[in-house]
Amino acid sequence: MINETINSWIEVERQYFKERDWLLEVKKLCTPEILTIKRTVIPEDSSKVKHYNNIVEEAYQRARGIGATYLICASNWLPIFCLAAHFERLKGIGAVQGSYTAGTYKGLPVIISPTMDSFEMLCGADTLEPEYNIESIDASKFILLKLED
């Protein structure tokens, strides 16, 4: 039992480092794009829900521009997605170790990853879901979005 637990944690750690190394390499190859909508500047004639919907929709439109098949986000994106009308949150997510799929936005998996920096989102179109293959990165298949205040 103890050996199984230790082996499980070792595997989680290996996967984390594989994802982190792949992400660092992708980020080196991508030029970050800043989202034009500011997270904390809510227009007077809007609500937080509408504002967050606009943020997610702008990110989605940029992702769609490269034919993205998934979104990998920092954890602080999750509350923003949760207020988006087209976000379908997966139910029953318990304690997690590492990256996990939190739901979908207009059919695109939204993966929450501890390897992402604050308010970063990587939109990928290299495969149906991330394979974290560091040997075959095509930078034209990714965009790195950053939401800033």
Side-chain angles (χ1 to χ4, degrees):
M1 179 71 165
I2 292 175
N3 284 341
E4 288 177 24
T5 302
I6 291 171
N7 289 338
S8 174
W9 280 101
I10 289 171
E11 188 54 39
V12 166
E13 185 178 47
R14 275 192 197 119
Q15 182 63 26
Y16 170 80
F17 287 122
K18 181 179 180 179
E19 290 177 26
R20 185 204 60 192
D21 294 347
W22 175 82
L23 180 66
L24 289 172
E25 189 63 27
V26 171
K27 286 168 75 173
K28 269 197 263 181
L29 299 171
C30 291
T31 303
E33 296 182 23
I34 306 301
L35 290 172
T36 57
I37 300 174
K38 303 296 182 193
R39 178 179 56 86
T40 58
V41 180
I42 300 172
E44 280 188 35
D45 62 337
S46 190
S47 69
K48 192 178 223 180
V49 172
K50 286 181 186 176
H51 184 63
Y52 281 7
N53 266 284
N54 289 339
I55 290 171
V56 172
E57 188 59 27
E58 181 179 336
Y60 174 76
Q61 291 303 323
R62 291 193 192 192
R64 215 172 108 190
I66 64 160
T69 55
Y70 58 85
L71 308 172
I72 302 176
C73 307
S75 62
N76 49 10
W77 270 95
L78 188 55
I80 295 170
F81 271 102
C82 286
L83 291 177
H86 298 286
F87 180 65
E88 294 180 26
R89 189 171 185 175
L90 290 179
K91 304 293 184 213
I93 297 174
V96 294
Q97 303 150 347
S99 298
Y100 67 96
T101 302
T104 60
Y105 184 79
K106 294 186 177 182
L108 291 182
V110 176
I111 301 163
I112 304 300
S113 173
T115 61
M116 298 297 292
D117 291 334
S118 183
F119 287 110
E120 281 186 342
M121 176 190 297
L122 181 68
C123 310
D126 58 330
T127 56
L128 286 179
E129 55 187 49
E131 293 178 351
Y132 308 109
N133 185 357
I134 203 162
E135 285 78 32
S136 62
I137 296 172
D138 177 357
S140 70
K141 302 287 186 179
F142 298 95
I143 57 171
L144 180 64
L145 301 177
K146 178 93 172 147
L147 181 60
E148 291 187 341
D149 291 328

Short mmCIF file of all heavy atoms in Angstrom, two decimals, residues 19 22-23 27 35 55-56 59-60 63 68 70-82 87 98-105 108-124 130 132 143-147:
data_model
loop_
_atom_site.label_atom_id
_atom_site.label_comp_id
_atom_site.label_asym_id
_atom_site.label_seq_id
_atom_site.Cartn_x
_atom_site.Cartn_y
_atom_site.Cartn_z
N GLU A 19 5.14 18.24 -18.27
CA GLU A 19 4.29 19.36 -18.67
C GLU A 19 5.03 20.69 -18.54
O GLU A 19 4.97 21.53 -19.43
CB GLU A 19 3.02 19.41 -17.82
CG GLU A 19 2.06 18.29 -18.11
CD GLU A 19 0.84 18.33 -17.20
OE1 GLU A 19 0.47 19.42 -16.70
OE2 GLU A 19 0.24 17.26 -16.97
N TRP A 22 7.72 21.11 -21.26
CA TRP A 22 7.08 21.34 -22.55
C TRP A 22 6.53 22.76 -22.61
O TRP A 22 6.75 23.48 -23.59
CB TRP A 22 5.96 20.32 -22.73
CG TRP A 22 5.12 20.50 -23.95
CD1 TRP A 22 5.42 20.08 -25.23
CD2 TRP A 22 3.84 21.13 -24.03
NE1 TRP A 22 4.39 20.43 -26.07
CE2 TRP A 22 3.41 21.07 -25.37
CE3 TRP A 22 3.01 21.74 -23.09
CZ2 TRP A 22 2.20 21.58 -25.79
CZ3 TRP A 22 1.79 22.25 -23.51
CH2 TRP A 22 1.40 22.17 -24.85
N LEU A 23 5.86 23.19 -21.55
CA LEU A 23 5.27 24.52 -21.51
C LEU A 23 6.35 25.60 -21.60
O LEU A 23 6.19 26.58 -22.33
CB LEU A 23 4.44 24.71 -20.25
CG LEU A 23 3.78 26.06 -20.13
CD1 LEU A 23 2.74 26.24 -21.21
CD2 LEU A 23 3.16 26.22 -18.77
N LYS A 27 6.48 28.36 -24.51
CA LYS A 27 6.47 29.78 -24.18
C LYS A 27 7.68 30.51 -24.76
O LYS A 27 7.59 31.67 -25.15
CB LYS A 27 6.40 29.97 -22.66
CG LYS A 27 5.02 29.66 -22.10
CD LYS A 27 4.99 29.55 -20.61
CE LYS A 27 5.05 30.85 -19.90
NZ LYS A 27 4.85 30.72 -18.45
N LEU A 35 -4.43 40.41 -23.87
CA LEU A 35 -5.85 40.61 -24.16
C LEU A 35 -6.18 42.08 -23.95
O LEU A 35 -5.75 42.70 -22.98
CB LEU A 35 -6.72 39.73 -23.26
CG LEU A 35 -6.65 38.24 -23.58
CD1 LEU A 35 -7.38 37.44 -22.52
CD2 LEU A 35 -7.22 37.94 -24.94
N ILE A 55 -14.37 38.82 -21.84
CA ILE A 55 -12.97 38.40 -21.74
C ILE A 55 -12.80 37.00 -22.32
O ILE A 55 -11.91 36.75 -23.15
CB ILE A 55 -12.49 38.43 -20.28
CG1 ILE A 55 -12.36 39.88 -19.79
CG2 ILE A 55 -11.15 37.70 -20.12
CD1 ILE A 55 -12.11 40.00 -18.30
N VAL A 56 -13.64 36.07 -21.89
CA VAL A 56 -13.52 34.69 -22.35
C VAL A 56 -13.80 34.61 -23.85
O VAL A 56 -13.12 33.89 -24.58
CB VAL A 56 -14.46 33.76 -21.55
CG1 VAL A 56 -14.48 32.36 -22.14
CG2 VAL A 56 -14.04 33.70 -20.09
N ALA A 59 -10.75 35.75 -25.79
CA ALA A 59 -9.73 34.69 -25.78
C ALA A 59 -10.13 33.56 -26.73
O ALA A 59 -9.30 33.05 -27.49
CB ALA A 59 -9.54 34.17 -24.36
N TYR A 60 -11.40 33.19 -26.70
CA TYR A 60 -11.89 32.11 -27.57
C TYR A 60 -11.74 32.48 -29.05
O TYR A 60 -11.31 31.65 -29.86
CB TYR A 60 -13.36 31.81 -27.25
CG TYR A 60 -13.99 30.83 -28.20
CD1 TYR A 60 -13.71 29.47 -28.11
CD2 TYR A 60 -14.84 31.26 -29.22
CE1 TYR A 60 -14.28 28.57 -28.99
CE2 TYR A 60 -15.41 30.37 -30.10
CZ TYR A 60 -15.12 29.03 -29.99
OH TYR A 60 -15.68 28.14 -30.87
N ALA A 63 -8.21 32.08 -30.01
CA ALA A 63 -7.89 30.65 -30.08
C ALA A 63 -8.45 30.04 -31.36
O ALA A 63 -7.79 29.22 -32.02
CB ALA A 63 -8.45 29.94 -28.85
N ALA A 68 -7.58 26.24 -32.50
CA ALA A 68 -7.25 25.60 -31.22
C ALA A 68 -8.20 24.45 -30.91
O ALA A 68 -9.39 24.49 -31.23
CB ALA A 68 -7.29 26.63 -30.09
N TYR A 70 -7.71 22.97 -27.64
CA TYR A 70 -7.74 22.97 -26.17
C TYR A 70 -7.17 24.28 -25.65
O TYR A 70 -6.49 25.00 -26.38
CB TYR A 70 -6.96 21.78 -25.58
CG TYR A 70 -5.52 21.72 -26.00
CD1 TYR A 70 -4.54 22.44 -25.32
CD2 TYR A 70 -5.11 20.93 -27.07
CE1 TYR A 70 -3.21 22.39 -25.71
CE2 TYR A 70 -3.79 20.87 -27.47
CZ TYR A 70 -2.85 21.61 -26.78
OH TYR A 70 -1.53 21.56 -27.17
N LEU A 71 -7.49 24.57 -24.40
CA LEU A 71 -6.98 25.76 -23.71
C LEU A 71 -6.33 25.29 -22.42
O LEU A 71 -6.94 24.54 -21.66
CB LEU A 71 -8.12 26.73 -23.38
CG LEU A 71 -9.04 27.13 -24.52
CD1 LEU A 71 -10.22 27.92 -23.99
CD2 LEU A 71 -8.28 27.93 -25.56
N ILE A 72 -5.11 25.70 -22.16
CA ILE A 72 -4.43 25.40 -20.91
C ILE A 72 -4.31 26.72 -20.16
O ILE A 72 -3.72 27.68 -20.68
CB ILE A 72 -3.04 24.78 -21.13
CG1 ILE A 72 -3.15 23.49 -21.95
CG2 ILE A 72 -2.37 24.50 -19.78
CD1 ILE A 72 -1.81 22.87 -22.30
N CYS A 73 -4.86 26.79 -18.95
CA CYS A 73 -4.97 28.05 -18.23
C CYS A 73 -4.38 27.95 -16.83
O CYS A 73 -4.39 26.89 -16.21
CB CYS A 73 -6.43 28.44 -18.06
SG CYS A 73 -7.37 28.47 -19.58
N ALA A 74 -3.95 29.11 -16.34
CA ALA A 74 -3.59 29.23 -14.93
C ALA A 74 -4.88 29.10 -14.12
O ALA A 74 -5.98 29.39 -14.61
CB ALA A 74 -2.93 30.58 -14.67
N SER A 75 -4.74 28.71 -12.87
CA SER A 75 -5.93 28.47 -12.04
C SER A 75 -6.77 29.72 -11.82
O SER A 75 -7.97 29.62 -11.62
CB SER A 75 -5.52 27.86 -10.70
OG SER A 75 -4.68 28.76 -9.99
N ASN A 76 -6.17 30.92 -11.90
CA ASN A 76 -6.97 32.11 -11.66
C ASN A 76 -7.87 32.47 -12.85
O ASN A 76 -8.66 33.41 -12.76
CB ASN A 76 -6.13 33.30 -11.20
CG ASN A 76 -4.91 33.56 -12.04
OD1 ASN A 76 -4.72 32.99 -13.11
ND2 ASN A 76 -4.06 34.45 -11.55
N TRP A 77 -7.81 31.71 -13.93
CA TRP A 77 -8.78 31.84 -15.02
C TRP A 77 -10.11 31.16 -14.67
O TRP A 77 -11.15 31.51 -15.23
CB TRP A 77 -8.25 31.23 -16.31
CG TRP A 77 -7.49 32.16 -17.17
CD1 TRP A 77 -6.13 32.34 -17.20
CD2 TRP A 77 -8.02 33.07 -18.14
NE1 TRP A 77 -5.80 33.30 -18.13
CE2 TRP A 77 -6.94 33.75 -18.73
CE3 TRP A 77 -9.31 33.36 -18.57
CZ2 TRP A 77 -7.12 34.71 -19.72
CZ3 TRP A 77 -9.49 34.31 -19.57
CH2 TRP A 77 -8.40 34.97 -20.13
N LEU A 78 -10.08 30.17 -13.79
CA LEU A 78 -11.28 29.38 -13.53
C LEU A 78 -12.48 30.21 -13.08
O LEU A 78 -13.58 30.03 -13.61
CB LEU A 78 -10.99 28.24 -12.54
CG LEU A 78 -12.13 27.24 -12.35
CD1 LEU A 78 -12.58 26.63 -13.68
CD2 LEU A 78 -11.69 26.14 -11.39
N PRO A 79 -12.35 31.16 -12.13
CA PRO A 79 -13.52 31.97 -11.76
C PRO A 79 -14.06 32.79 -12.92
O PRO A 79 -15.27 33.02 -13.01
CB PRO A 79 -12.99 32.89 -10.66
CG PRO A 79 -11.75 32.25 -10.16
CD PRO A 79 -11.19 31.46 -11.30
N ILE A 80 -13.20 33.19 -13.83
CA ILE A 80 -13.64 33.95 -15.00
C ILE A 80 -14.45 33.04 -15.92
O ILE A 80 -15.54 33.41 -16.38
CB ILE A 80 -12.43 34.58 -15.73
CG1 ILE A 80 -11.78 35.63 -14.83
CG2 ILE A 80 -12.84 35.19 -17.07
CD1 ILE A 80 -10.46 36.16 -15.32
N PHE A 81 -13.95 31.83 -16.16
CA PHE A 81 -14.69 30.87 -16.98
C PHE A 81 -16.02 30.50 -16.34
O PHE A 81 -17.02 30.33 -17.03
CB PHE A 81 -13.87 29.60 -17.23
CG PHE A 81 -13.01 29.68 -18.45
CD1 PHE A 81 -11.65 29.92 -18.34
CD2 PHE A 81 -13.55 29.51 -19.71
CE1 PHE A 81 -10.84 30.00 -19.47
CE2 PHE A 81 -12.76 29.59 -20.85
CZ PHE A 81 -11.40 29.83 -20.73
N CYS A 82 -16.04 30.37 -15.02
CA CYS A 82 -17.27 29.95 -14.33
C CYS A 82 -18.41 30.94 -14.53
O CYS A 82 -19.57 30.57 -14.41
CB CYS A 82 -17.00 29.71 -12.85
SG CYS A 82 -16.09 28.18 -12.57
N PHE A 87 -19.51 28.16 -20.76
CA PHE A 87 -18.60 27.26 -20.05
C PHE A 87 -19.41 26.16 -19.38
O PHE A 87 -20.36 26.42 -18.65
CB PHE A 87 -17.80 28.01 -18.98
CG PHE A 87 -16.83 27.14 -18.22
CD1 PHE A 87 -15.76 26.54 -18.85
CD2 PHE A 87 -17.02 26.91 -16.86
CE1 PHE A 87 -14.87 25.74 -18.14
CE2 PHE A 87 -16.13 26.11 -16.15
CZ PHE A 87 -15.06 25.52 -16.80
N GLY A 98 -1.76 18.15 -10.01
CA GLY A 98 -1.32 18.50 -11.35
C GLY A 98 -2.44 19.08 -12.18
O GLY A 98 -3.42 19.63 -11.67
N SER A 99 -2.32 18.94 -13.49
CA SER A 99 -3.30 19.50 -14.42
C SER A 99 -4.58 18.68 -14.42
O SER A 99 -4.56 17.47 -14.17
CB SER A 99 -2.72 19.51 -15.83
OG SER A 99 -1.58 20.32 -15.88
N TYR A 100 -5.69 19.36 -14.72
CA TYR A 100 -6.97 18.65 -14.84
C TYR A 100 -7.89 19.44 -15.76
O TYR A 100 -7.75 20.64 -15.93
CB TYR A 100 -7.63 18.47 -13.47
CG TYR A 100 -8.08 19.76 -12.82
CD1 TYR A 100 -9.38 20.21 -12.93
CD2 TYR A 100 -7.18 20.54 -12.09
CE1 TYR A 100 -9.78 21.40 -12.34
CE2 TYR A 100 -7.57 21.73 -11.50
CZ TYR A 100 -8.87 22.15 -11.62
OH TYR A 100 -9.27 23.34 -11.05
N THR A 101 -8.82 18.74 -16.39
CA THR A 101 -9.81 19.38 -17.24
C THR A 101 -10.96 19.83 -16.36
O THR A 101 -11.62 19.02 -15.72
CB THR A 101 -10.30 18.42 -18.33
OG1 THR A 101 -9.17 18.00 -19.11
CG2 THR A 101 -11.32 19.09 -19.24
N ALA A 102 -11.18 21.16 -16.33
CA ALA A 102 -12.22 21.74 -15.47
C ALA A 102 -13.56 21.79 -16.18
O ALA A 102 -14.60 21.89 -15.52
CB ALA A 102 -11.81 23.15 -15.04
N GLY A 103 -13.55 21.75 -17.49
CA GLY A 103 -14.79 21.81 -18.26
C GLY A 103 -14.47 22.12 -19.71
O GLY A 103 -13.34 21.93 -20.17
N THR A 104 -15.50 22.61 -20.42
CA THR A 104 -15.32 22.98 -21.82
C THR A 104 -15.93 24.36 -22.06
O THR A 104 -16.88 24.76 -21.39
CB THR A 104 -15.99 21.98 -22.78
OG1 THR A 104 -17.39 21.92 -22.51
CG2 THR A 104 -15.37 20.60 -22.65
N TYR A 105 -15.37 25.05 -23.03
CA TYR A 105 -15.94 26.32 -23.48
C TYR A 105 -16.17 26.17 -24.98
O TYR A 105 -15.22 26.01 -25.74
CB TYR A 105 -15.01 27.50 -23.19
CG TYR A 105 -15.64 28.82 -23.59
CD1 TYR A 105 -16.58 29.42 -22.75
CD2 TYR A 105 -15.35 29.42 -24.79
CE1 TYR A 105 -17.20 30.60 -23.11
CE2 TYR A 105 -15.96 30.61 -25.15
CZ TYR A 105 -16.88 31.19 -24.31
OH TYR A 105 -17.50 32.37 -24.67
N LEU A 108 -14.27 23.39 -26.47
CA LEU A 108 -12.82 23.29 -26.23
C LEU A 108 -12.56 22.91 -24.78
O LEU A 108 -13.06 23.58 -23.87
CB LEU A 108 -12.12 24.63 -26.50
CG LEU A 108 -12.04 25.11 -27.93
CD1 LEU A 108 -11.27 26.43 -27.98
CD2 LEU A 108 -11.37 24.09 -28.81
N PRO A 109 -11.78 21.86 -24.54
CA PRO A 109 -11.42 21.53 -23.17
C PRO A 109 -10.65 22.67 -22.51
O PRO A 109 -9.76 23.26 -23.13
CB PRO A 109 -10.53 20.29 -23.31
CG PRO A 109 -10.82 19.74 -24.66
CD PRO A 109 -11.22 20.91 -25.51
N VAL A 110 -11.01 22.99 -21.29
CA VAL A 110 -10.32 24.00 -20.49
C VAL A 110 -9.53 23.25 -19.42
O VAL A 110 -10.11 22.67 -18.51
CB VAL A 110 -11.31 25.00 -19.85
CG1 VAL A 110 -10.58 25.98 -18.95
CG2 VAL A 110 -12.10 25.73 -20.94
N ILE A 111 -8.22 23.24 -19.59
CA ILE A 111 -7.33 22.50 -18.71
C ILE A 111 -6.68 23.49 -17.75
O ILE A 111 -6.08 24.48 -18.19
CB ILE A 111 -6.25 21.75 -19.53
CG1 ILE A 111 -6.93 20.79 -20.51
CG2 ILE A 111 -5.26 21.04 -18.62
CD1 ILE A 111 -6.03 20.32 -21.64
N ILE A 112 -6.81 23.23 -16.48
CA ILE A 112 -6.19 24.08 -15.45
C ILE A 112 -4.85 23.44 -15.10
O ILE A 112 -4.79 22.25 -14.80
CB ILE A 112 -7.09 24.19 -14.20
CG1 ILE A 112 -8.48 24.71 -14.57
CG2 ILE A 112 -6.42 25.06 -13.15
CD1 ILE A 112 -8.51 26.09 -15.21
N SER A 113 -3.80 24.24 -15.17
CA SER A 113 -2.46 23.71 -14.97
C SER A 113 -1.65 24.53 -13.98
O SER A 113 -1.59 25.75 -14.10
CB SER A 113 -1.71 23.68 -16.30
OG SER A 113 -0.36 23.30 -16.10
N PRO A 114 -1.00 23.86 -13.03
CA PRO A 114 -0.13 24.57 -12.09
C PRO A 114 1.15 25.08 -12.73
O PRO A 114 1.89 25.84 -12.13
CB PRO A 114 0.17 23.52 -11.02
CG PRO A 114 0.06 22.22 -11.73
CD PRO A 114 -1.02 22.42 -12.76
N THR A 115 1.41 24.69 -13.98
CA THR A 115 2.63 25.12 -14.65
C THR A 115 2.48 26.49 -15.31
O THR A 115 3.47 27.08 -15.74
CB THR A 115 3.05 24.10 -15.73
OG1 THR A 115 2.01 24.00 -16.70
CG2 THR A 115 3.33 22.74 -15.12
N MET A 116 1.25 27.01 -15.38
CA MET A 116 1.01 28.30 -16.03
C MET A 116 1.22 29.44 -15.04
O MET A 116 0.89 29.32 -13.86
CB MET A 116 -0.42 28.37 -16.57
CG MET A 116 -0.74 27.35 -17.64
SD MET A 116 0.24 27.53 -19.14
CE MET A 116 -0.38 29.07 -19.77
N ASP A 117 1.76 30.56 -15.53
CA ASP A 117 1.91 31.75 -14.71
C ASP A 117 0.56 32.45 -14.60
O ASP A 117 -0.36 32.21 -15.39
CB ASP A 117 2.94 32.70 -15.32
CG ASP A 117 4.36 32.15 -15.23
OD1 ASP A 117 4.62 31.34 -14.32
OD2 ASP A 117 5.18 32.53 -16.08
N SER A 118 0.44 33.33 -13.64
CA SER A 118 -0.81 34.02 -13.34
C SER A 118 -1.45 34.64 -14.59
O SER A 118 -0.79 35.37 -15.33
CB SER A 118 -0.55 35.10 -12.30
OG SER A 118 -1.74 35.74 -11.94
N PHE A 119 -2.70 34.33 -14.79
CA PHE A 119 -3.53 34.83 -15.88
C PHE A 119 -2.96 34.57 -17.27
O PHE A 119 -3.21 35.32 -18.20
CB PHE A 119 -3.88 36.32 -15.68
CG PHE A 119 -4.89 36.50 -14.58
CD1 PHE A 119 -4.51 37.09 -13.38
CD2 PHE A 119 -6.18 36.06 -14.71
CE1 PHE A 119 -5.42 37.25 -12.35
CE2 PHE A 119 -7.10 36.21 -13.69
CZ PHE A 119 -6.72 36.81 -12.51
N GLU A 120 -2.23 33.47 -17.42
CA GLU A 120 -1.78 33.04 -18.74
C GLU A 120 -2.71 31.95 -19.25
O GLU A 120 -3.28 31.17 -18.48
CB GLU A 120 -0.37 32.46 -18.69
CG GLU A 120 0.71 33.49 -18.64
CD GLU A 120 2.09 32.87 -18.74
OE1 GLU A 120 2.26 31.66 -18.51
OE2 GLU A 120 3.02 33.64 -19.02
N MET A 121 -2.86 31.93 -20.58
CA MET A 121 -3.63 30.89 -21.25
C MET A 121 -2.89 30.49 -22.51
O MET A 121 -2.52 31.35 -23.32
CB MET A 121 -5.03 31.42 -21.63
CG MET A 121 -5.85 30.42 -22.43
SD MET A 121 -7.38 31.13 -23.12
CE MET A 121 -8.27 31.56 -21.65
N LEU A 122 -2.66 29.20 -22.68
CA LEU A 122 -2.03 28.69 -23.88
C LEU A 122 -3.11 28.00 -24.71
O LEU A 122 -3.78 27.09 -24.23
CB LEU A 122 -0.92 27.69 -23.53
CG LEU A 122 -0.17 27.11 -24.72
CD1 LEU A 122 0.67 28.19 -25.40
CD2 LEU A 122 0.72 25.96 -24.29
N CYS A 123 -3.28 28.47 -25.93
CA CYS A 123 -4.26 27.88 -26.84
C CYS A 123 -3.47 26.98 -27.79
O CYS A 123 -2.55 27.45 -28.47
CB CYS A 123 -4.99 28.97 -27.62
SG CYS A 123 -5.66 30.28 -26.59
N GLY A 124 -3.82 25.71 -27.83
CA GLY A 124 -3.07 24.76 -28.64
C GLY A 124 -3.90 24.14 -29.74
O GLY A 124 -5.08 23.84 -29.55
N PRO A 130 -3.43 18.03 -25.32
CA PRO A 130 -1.97 18.16 -25.21
C PRO A 130 -1.27 16.82 -24.98
O PRO A 130 -1.72 16.01 -24.19
CB PRO A 130 -1.78 19.09 -24.01
CG PRO A 130 -3.08 19.17 -23.32
CD PRO A 130 -4.14 18.73 -24.26
N TYR A 132 2.26 16.97 -24.70
CA TYR A 132 3.47 17.39 -23.99
C TYR A 132 4.73 16.78 -24.59
O TYR A 132 5.63 16.37 -23.90
CB TYR A 132 3.36 17.09 -22.50
CG TYR A 132 2.09 17.63 -21.88
CD1 TYR A 132 1.07 16.78 -21.48
CD2 TYR A 132 1.90 19.00 -21.72
CE1 TYR A 132 -0.11 17.28 -20.92
CE2 TYR A 132 0.73 19.50 -21.17
CZ TYR A 132 -0.26 18.64 -20.78
OH TYR A 132 -1.43 19.13 -20.24
N ILE A 143 -0.91 29.89 -29.38
CA ILE A 143 -0.82 31.29 -29.00
C ILE A 143 -0.86 31.34 -27.47
O ILE A 143 -1.55 30.55 -26.83
CB ILE A 143 -1.92 32.19 -29.61
CG1 ILE A 143 -3.31 31.72 -29.25
CG2 ILE A 143 -1.75 32.36 -31.09
CD1 ILE A 143 -4.40 32.69 -29.65
N LEU A 144 -0.08 32.24 -26.94
CA LEU A 144 -0.02 32.44 -25.50
C LEU A 144 -0.69 33.77 -25.20
O LEU A 144 -0.24 34.82 -25.66
CB LEU A 144 1.44 32.45 -25.03
CG LEU A 144 1.67 32.65 -23.54
CD1 LEU A 144 1.08 31.50 -22.74
CD2 LEU A 144 3.15 32.79 -23.25
N LEU A 145 -1.80 33.71 -24.46
CA LEU A 145 -2.54 34.91 -24.10
C LEU A 145 -2.26 35.28 -22.66
O LEU A 145 -2.10 34.41 -21.81
CB LEU A 145 -4.04 34.68 -24.29
CG LEU A 145 -4.50 34.31 -25.69
CD1 LEU A 145 -5.99 34.04 -25.70
CD2 LEU A 145 -4.13 35.37 -26.69
N LYS A 146 -2.23 36.56 -22.39
CA LYS A 146 -1.99 37.06 -21.03
C LYS A 146 -3.05 38.09 -20.73
O LYS A 146 -3.26 39.02 -21.51
CB LYS A 146 -0.59 37.67 -20.95
CG LYS A 146 -0.24 38.26 -19.63
CD LYS A 146 0.47 37.27 -18.77
CE LYS A 146 0.97 37.95 -17.51
NZ LYS A 146 0.97 37.11 -16.37
N LEU A 147 -3.74 37.89 -19.63
CA LEU A 147 -4.74 38.84 -19.18
C LEU A 147 -4.11 39.71 -18.10
O LEU A 147 -3.64 39.20 -17.08
CB LEU A 147 -5.95 38.09 -18.61
CG LEU A 147 -7.11 38.92 -18.10
CD1 LEU A 147 -7.69 39.80 -19.20
CD2 LEU A 147 -8.19 38.01 -17.54
#
